[in-house]
Amino acid sequence: MTSVKPFNTTADVDPESFAGQLRLSTGADWDASVHHRFVEELFAGTVSDEVLARYLVQDYQFFDAFVAMLGACVATTDSKPARLRFAAQLGMLAADEDGYFQQTFAELEVPDSEVTSPQLTTPTQEFVAQMWEVARSRDYADLLVVLVIAEWLYLDWGERDKPLPEAQKHREWVELHRGDEFRAWTQFLIDELNRVAPPLDSDDGAQLSERWNRVVGIERAFFDAAYSDAPFRD
């Protein structure tokens, strides 16, 4: 079957595939995230330092659990090429993305205490809990559901047809979520999920669908929380 693009996405996904059907089922929350106020202001270079710092501090709390998920995929996949792909991504994550965080926290003068022990928003707590749950489950398909959402949704907003912002703190966050390498990584995850997923109408498929719906909703709430007036810490 030839893959087509059934919705506004840079990934190449068959609408009848497991991932394609799940993506369509959560279109409202997905599109609201891709076109969120934060994304619009990030591209425009008008997002305030306060909002950017709050967003990045919360996003940084995913780093440890995300690394654990990739490690769990290395241990649980039935494919040697996939195992090597996950291992390579672990190295990139530590070198590139963590470097952006550290550089931008320094530029925004975010205290170390707020980076290492912030007050977590509800969406952050919920997302971290989902990530650790699948990491500890050692269920490859369940791991892929969360990874696909985390990367695919960001690819969709990162590759929007808009001029890049000038400031490095804005531009680099966009660049980390677009381009050939990130697109290929995201496509790999989608293809792996479609390869190993059970039928959507099975009990296992229904459980994965429930996970998908919950996590996409959390992603939308996470963007909203960047505009909360709550401080980093009590």
Side-chain angles (χ1 to χ4, degrees):
M1 182 179 294
T2 302
S3 295
V4 297
K5 294 181 180 179
F7 27 60
N8 184 23
T9 177
T10 55
D12 190 17
V13 185
D14 187 328
E16 298 302 319
S17 69
F18 188 84
Q21 292 181 72
L22 292 181
R23 165 67 177 81
L24 287 170
S25 73
T26 51
D29 281 339
W30 193 284
D31 292 341
S33 298
V34 169
H35 297 277
H36 196 276
R37 173 186 173 187
F38 176 83
V39 176
E40 299 291 341
E41 293 181 356
L42 183 68
F43 271 99
T46 60
V47 62
S48 71
D49 284 353
E50 180 183 4
V51 168
L52 181 62
R54 184 180 296 115
Y55 170 92
L56 291 176
V57 164
Q58 296 294 315
D59 194 281
Y60 192 64
Q61 308 314 306
F62 303 141
F63 193 80
D64 188 39
F66 195 86
V67 169
M69 284 200 301
L70 293 182
C73 287
V74 171
T76 58
T77 182
D78 60 344
S79 164
K80 181 178 179 180
R83 195 176 347 271
L84 294 173
R85 185 68 181 85
F86 284 115
Q89 192 68 18
L90 277 167
M92 184 286 298
L93 191 69
D96 294 346
E97 190 157 324
D98 192 55
Y100 165 79
F101 278 114
Q102 299 308 323
Q103 179 178 343
T104 307
F105 288 148
E107 180 179 347
L108 297 175
E109 299 182 342
V110 179
D112 289 345
S113 60
E114 292 177 355
V115 173
T116 59
S117 57
Q119 175 183 321
L120 301 184
T121 66
T122 297
T124 301
Q125 293 178 50
E126 292 176 345
F127 206 168
V128 169
Q130 291 292 313
M131 295 168 80
W132 279 114
E133 185 175 314
V134 297
R136 290 164 177 153
S137 76
R138 299 302 179 94
D139 183 311
Y140 188 47
D142 210 10
L143 283 155
L144 286 167
V145 162
V146 178
L147 285 169
V148 165
I149 294 168
E151 303 292 53
W152 189 5
L153 192 152
Y154 273 55
L155 175 71
D156 275 359
W157 72 250
E159 294 220 327
R160 288 183 57 189
D161 187 17
K162 298 173 75 70
L164 287 173
E166 293 184 7
Q168 184 174 354
K169 61 189 174 184
H170 304 142
R171 186 181 64 253
E172 190 171 348
W173 188 242
V174 176
E175 289 177 333
L176 281 167
H177 300 103
R178 70 186 308 168
D180 292 345
E181 290 185 8
F182 189 67
R183 193 182 311 115
W185 161 246
T186 303
Q187 190 69 53
F188 159 75
L189 293 173
I190 294 169
D191 292 345
E192 277 293 282
L193 177 59
N194 285 333
R195 180 179 72 83
V196 303
L200 192 57
D201 59 0
S202 67
D203 288 344
D204 289 342
Q207 290 179 6
L208 294 177
S209 178
E210 182 180 355
R211 173 88 67 191
W212 179 284
N213 292 338
R214 186 159 61 248
V215 172
V216 171
I218 293 170
E219 282 277 19
R220 180 178 182 177
F222 179 78
F223 281 100
D224 291 340
Y227 292 87
S228 168
D229 291 331
F232 289 126
R233 307 180 71 192
D234 290 324

